[in-house]
């Protein structure tokens, strides 16, 4: 306001002007509790301390400023006080008027100073009628805190794209300085307003200060426990162990440090999801405990489980009141489905929507290995009996005890050798992953086995299970090998009940593997180092930063919350998944075998024997099993991503030499290998990043993992596993032996015996509450083939290629719908009448069982 008066007196209004529009969100829109900040901002405006912007020249250097771009005079946002702020979390547009300065000429950046009391979210700046240039647009998407919080000025660049060597001279220093600021110096406590991206080990999962039983090993930085790096949070060490970082109290979980622009936006439903997770653990769990204490901690029949989706009464009491007092009404409705009568109700999972018993069939059990929650593990069986890769010096003979007699009568007339030769035998093998930990896991409340499931491909393209082997470590010691028992299909009597239990133990193994490895390790954990390295080494002007940035949205924040609430010692995962306190340690051992290049879908399918190279086949691969929905849909998505990445990279990199000479790209790749995945830095399989093809392959893998692979293993959690008997996560007792009371119970009341073996009532309630939240899409989710900023680049060719990518994904949606309606493909819908839609590219918000978000955002 003061500036307008001064301009009128001094005649500044007569000079040539550049008019601009700034779009931002005020903090008070997003935080109703911070009215004082809003009042103070207005006071600052009245005394002339507003928000100032200065244009930086892309064409004229200033010799007195180290040849950095010439900086124009400050201009201030106009009408801060009088611009009506929307009551919903929305954006406001402000005018800004710059004096045109020929010495500045074409602006390539601007400096912004926030002299207010509180931060705001800066979306864009658009300049109209810049002499000689017309419209110039800046995409910002960043929180701007008061200037006194920063050591250096905040600088934003136009939506131009430049390789480092092509950056206009006057902008070069600004580009380099911005990256230095984002890297920090690795020291000091990180504050809410910091924008620093740095690495740390997973040394914040344990809580030895609470109790020695909550101590956990540091993951990362050692040969014994290698791990990808996480974002540094800079909390002081715990009191009892200097190697373990101190933890935040549960109530403070949402305050865990992540760089400010990586935090969930207030307007994003994920913020609600984060709160829901906290509320779930903090308030709902005690109420469930009370509920389960007032009745035995068991489901007595499948009907008891079905009641969860039909409504079940919660006894009135102080704990129910505590829930109501602590959770806002809308949240309460969402979280506990209360109708005011204290009736809890979960949504019906798709797997039991059409048919309540089809999940128990052998056909569905097998189908879900191809079109379920964890379709990434089944492999072609290439030797019989199956062999172990565990060291016989340490573990003795761990080869399978499944014999010809167990299976040969069920191969539709083929011999075993013929079935192997015709590629008709498959295996779901959890034996080697689990066996080294099994002795320790079984000292907890878990009682489980290491399993192998062998399957046969029938003429109609479906799989049928032939045998399940359940193994335990030898009681006399590991070097004596495994003690194994083999179970074969049966439908009736006690044999039928035993077979159902054998399938449940195999499903328990698969649930734990899925949650810890297919999902957490192979998507969430391995992507975080890419997020950090990209922000530290690739400028926002860099084409590869612009390509990858949408695929990193919210990943650091969801991972930080996971470390705080889900995968920590005593957290929800340890409480609900069978490896218990060994869960994360086990994922570190599996990471020893992680190979970046094998995360490519074609390489993964070839590796598991599920596909062979064939130049005449679509995507250059022929599937061994034609009706493999995850692979069929996945290869179409993979191919679309690869084409888009190739079109994009080829526009900026015309030769291999341009890749080799790109200083930022080479620093990024070096840091990613040596720091981000530092425990793998000496592996021979890392691409060298010397060619355009290596760049295309690398970016395709990153985008695939962050988008489609994560969607395939995440958003089916509630549809398939929301009914826990279908995907139990824990087994609490061993297979009943003849002559025991448990065996008699299995004969007389098989449902009760089954439910007493798998996940208990409390863990079931906690587990399905959690996966319901994790399986939801936020209402403002951005899906593959979409961008939240249409003007993300000025370059027309990449924009056209991106439109082509979007059209291709729309075609793939149509193909998926068509395949799901084709009765020849029996694995696409199955006995449960549930079409495979997890790789359907788009979705509406909520619990849909479809849709591929751009990033690992939940």
């Amino acid at each position: 306001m003061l500036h307008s008066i001064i301009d009128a007196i001094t005649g500044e209004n007569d000079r040539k002007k550049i008019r601009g529009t700034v779009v931002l969100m005020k903090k008070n829109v997003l935080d109703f509790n911070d009215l004082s900040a809003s009042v103070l901002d207005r006071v600052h405006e009245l005394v002339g301390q507003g928000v100032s912007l200065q244009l930086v020249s892309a064409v004229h250097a200033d010799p007195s400023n180290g040849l950095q771009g010439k900086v124009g005079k400050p201009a201030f946002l106009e009408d801060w006080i009088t611009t009506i702020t929307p009551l919903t979390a929305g954006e406001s547009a402000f005018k800004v008027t710059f004096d045109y300065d020929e010495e500045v000429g074409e602006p390539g950046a601007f400096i912004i100073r926030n002299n207010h009391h509180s931060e705001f979210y800066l979306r864009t700046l658009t300049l109209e009628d810049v002499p000689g240039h017309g419209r110039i647009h800046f995409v910002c998407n960043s929180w701007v805190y008061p200037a006194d919080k920063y050591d250096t000025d905040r600088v934003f660049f136009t939506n131009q794209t430049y390789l480092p060597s092509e950056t206009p001279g006057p902008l070069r220093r600004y580009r380099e300085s911005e990256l230095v600021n984002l890297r920090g110096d690795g020291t000091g406590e990180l504050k809410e307003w910091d924008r620093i991206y740095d690495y740390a080990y997973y040394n914040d999962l344990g809580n030895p200060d609470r109790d020695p039983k909550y101590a956990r090993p540091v993951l990362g930085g050692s040969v014994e426990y290698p791990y990808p790096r996480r974002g540094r949070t800079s909390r002081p060490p715990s009191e009892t162990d200097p190697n373990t970082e101190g933890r935040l109290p549960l109530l403070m979980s949402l305050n865990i440090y992540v760089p400010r622009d990586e935090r969930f936006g207030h307007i994003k439903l994920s913020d609600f999801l984060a709160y829901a997770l906290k509320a779930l653990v903090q308030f709902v769990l005690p109420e469930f405990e009370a509920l389960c204490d007032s009745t035995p901690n068991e489901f007595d029949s499948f009907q008891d489980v079905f009641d969860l989706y039909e409504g079940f009464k919660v006894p009135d009491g102080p704990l129910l009141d505590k829930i109501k007092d602590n959770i806002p009404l809308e949240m309460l409705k969402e979280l506990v489905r209360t109708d005011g009568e204290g009736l809890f109700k979960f949504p019906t999972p798709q797997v039991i929507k059409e048919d309540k018993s089809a999940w128990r069939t052998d056909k569905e059990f097998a189908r879900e290995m191809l079109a379920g929650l964890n379709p990434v593990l089944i492999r072609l069986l290439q030797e019989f009996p199956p062999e172990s890769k565990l060291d016989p010096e340490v573990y003795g003979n761990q080869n399978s005890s499944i014999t010809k007699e167990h299976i040969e009568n069920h191969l539709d007339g083929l011999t075993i050798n013929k079935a192997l030769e015709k590629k008709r035998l498959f295996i779901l093998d959890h034996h080697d992953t689990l066996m080294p930990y099994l002795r320790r896991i079984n000292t907890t409340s878990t009682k489980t086995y290491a399993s192998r499931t062998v399957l046969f491909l029938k003429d109609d393209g479906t799989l049928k299970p032939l045998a399940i082997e359940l193994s335990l470590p030898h009681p006399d010691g590991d070097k004596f090998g495994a003690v194994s028992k083999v179970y074969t299909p049966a439908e009736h009597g006690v044999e039928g009940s035993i077979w159902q239990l054998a399938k449940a133990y195999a499903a328990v193994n698969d649930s734990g593997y899925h949650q810890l490895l297919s999902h957490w390790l192979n998507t969430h954990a391995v992507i975080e180092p890419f997020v950090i390295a990209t922000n530290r080494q690739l400028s926002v002007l860099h084409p590869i930063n612009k390509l990858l940035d949408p695929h990193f949205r919210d990943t650091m924040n969801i991972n930080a919350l996971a470390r705080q609430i889900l995968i920590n010692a005593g957290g929800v995962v340890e409480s609900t998944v069978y490896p218990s306190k060994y869960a994360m340690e086990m994922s570190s051992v599996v990471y020893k075998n992680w190979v970046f290049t094998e995360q490519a879908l074609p390489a993964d399918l070839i590796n598991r024997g599920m596909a062979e190279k064939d130049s005449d086949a679509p995507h250059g691969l022929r599937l061994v099993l034609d009706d493999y929905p995850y692979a069929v849909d996945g290869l179409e998505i993979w191919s679309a991503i690869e084409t888009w990445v190739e079109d994009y990279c080829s526009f900026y990199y015309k030769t291999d030499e341009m890749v080799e000479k790109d200083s930022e790209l080479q620093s990024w790749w070096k840091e990613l290998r040596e720091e981000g995945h530092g425990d793998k830095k000496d592996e021979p399989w890392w691409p060298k990043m010397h060619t355009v093809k290596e760049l295309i392959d690398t970016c395709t893998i990153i985008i695939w993992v962050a988008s489609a692979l994560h969607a395939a293993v995440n958003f089916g959690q509630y549809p398939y596993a929301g009914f826990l008997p279908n995907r139990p996560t824990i087994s609490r007792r061993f297979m009943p032996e003849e002559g025991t009371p448990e065996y008699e119970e299995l004969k007389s009341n098989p449902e009760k015996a089954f439910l007493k073996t798998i996940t208990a009532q409390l863990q079931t309630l906690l587990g399905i509450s959690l996966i319901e939240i994790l399986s939801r899409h936020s209402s403002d989710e951005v899906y593959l083939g979409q961008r939240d900023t249409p003007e993300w680049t000025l370059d027309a060719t990449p924009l056209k290629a991106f439109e082509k990518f979007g059209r291709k994904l729309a075609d793939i949606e149509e193909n998926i719908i068509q395949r799901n309606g084709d009765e020849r493909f029996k694995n696409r819908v199955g006995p449960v009448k549930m079409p495979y839609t997890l790789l359907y590219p788009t979705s509406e918000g909520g619990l849909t069982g479809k849709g591929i978000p751009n990033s690992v955002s939940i």
Side-chain angles (χ1 to χ4, degrees), residues 683-728:
E683 298 283 4
W685 41 253
W686 283 110
K688 300 280 185 287
M689 205 53 76
H690 289 167
T691 65
V692 179
K693 181 168 188 332
E694 284 179 320
L695 176 62
I696 291 165
D697 291 348
T698 296
C699 292
T700 304
I701 291 171
I702 294 168
I703 294 171
W704 163 259
V705 170
S707 60
L709 179 61
H710 178 257
V713 296
N714 183 73
F715 293 102
Q717 289 185 88
Y718 196 82
Y720 287 97
F723 180 66
L724 227 71
N726 186 49
R727 297 281 303 173

Side-chain angles (χ1 to χ4, degrees), residues 537-661:
Q537 300 295 346
L538 296 178
S539 162
V540 291
L541 292 166
H542 198 286
I544 301 304
N545 180 308
K546 288 189 194 291
L547 173 68
L548 296 178
D549 180 66
H551 303 289
F552 298 153
R553 179 191 191 205
D554 293 340
T555 301
M556 288 186 77
N557 204 157
I558 193 66
N559 285 3
L561 271 170
R563 297 196 310 273
Q564 187 63 18
I565 295 172
L566 302 181
I567 60 174
N568 57 304
V572 178
V573 167
E574 285 194 1
S575 310
T576 58
V577 179
Y578 69 86
S580 189
K581 68 179 190 178
Y582 300 106
M584 292 301 288
E585 188 182 320
M586 210 167 96
S587 74
S588 152
V589 172
V590 172
Y591 176 65
K592 288 178 181 178
N593 300 318
W594 181 81
V595 176
F596 174 70
T597 48
E598 288 176 5
Q599 307 311 300
L601 179 62
D604 167 55
L605 293 170
I606 290 167
N607 210 19
R608 292 188 282 122
M610 301 300 286
E612 295 165 343
K613 285 187 176 168
D614 180 347
S615 53
D616 297 331
H619 322 298
L621 281 189
R622 189 171 51 76
L623 290 173
V624 167
L625 204 163
D626 292 334
D627 185 14
Y628 181 0
Y630 163 74
V632 173
D633 298 357
L635 283 169
E636 288 197 357
I637 300 282
W638 167 271
S639 176
I641 294 170
E642 187 176 46
T643 302
W644 149 238
V645 172
E646 187 174 348
D647 289 349
Y648 182 86
C649 291
S650 307
F651 177 75
Y652 295 102
Y653 296 93
K654 305 297 184 198
T655 64
D656 292 342
E657 188 185 23
M658 289 177 77
V659 171
E660 275 199 84
K661 290 199 166 164

Side-chain angles (χ1 to χ4, degrees), residues 670 673-675 677-684 686:
K670 181 176 193 292
R673 294 188 330 265
E674 294 180 3
E675 297 277 340
H677 281 279
D679 300 330
K680 295 271 184 186
K681 64 175 182 284
D682 298 323
E683 298 283 4
W686 283 110

Side-chain angles (χ1 to χ4, degrees), residues 452-464:
R452 291 183 175 108
T453 304
V454 173
L455 306 107
F456 177 69
L457 176 60
K458 292 162 62 179
D459 290 339
D460 68 358
T462 62
L463 291 173
K464 71 171 179 185

Side-chain angles (χ1 to χ4, degrees), residues 729-744:
T729 56
I730 292 174
S731 49
R732 296 175 287 146
R733 59 186 195 182
F734 293 122
M735 184 71 85
E737 298 287 339
E738 215 166 334
T740 62
E742 289 80 9
Y743 191 85
E744 290 308 310

Side-chain angles (χ1 to χ4, degrees), residues 36 119 268 276 311 364 413 457 494 578 601 614 682 691 756 849 857:
S36 62
E119 69 272 22
K268 182 174 160 38
E364 180 61 21
L457 176 60
V494 72
Y578 69 86
L601 179 62
D614 180 347
D682 298 323
T691 65
K756 271 188 177 175
S857 57

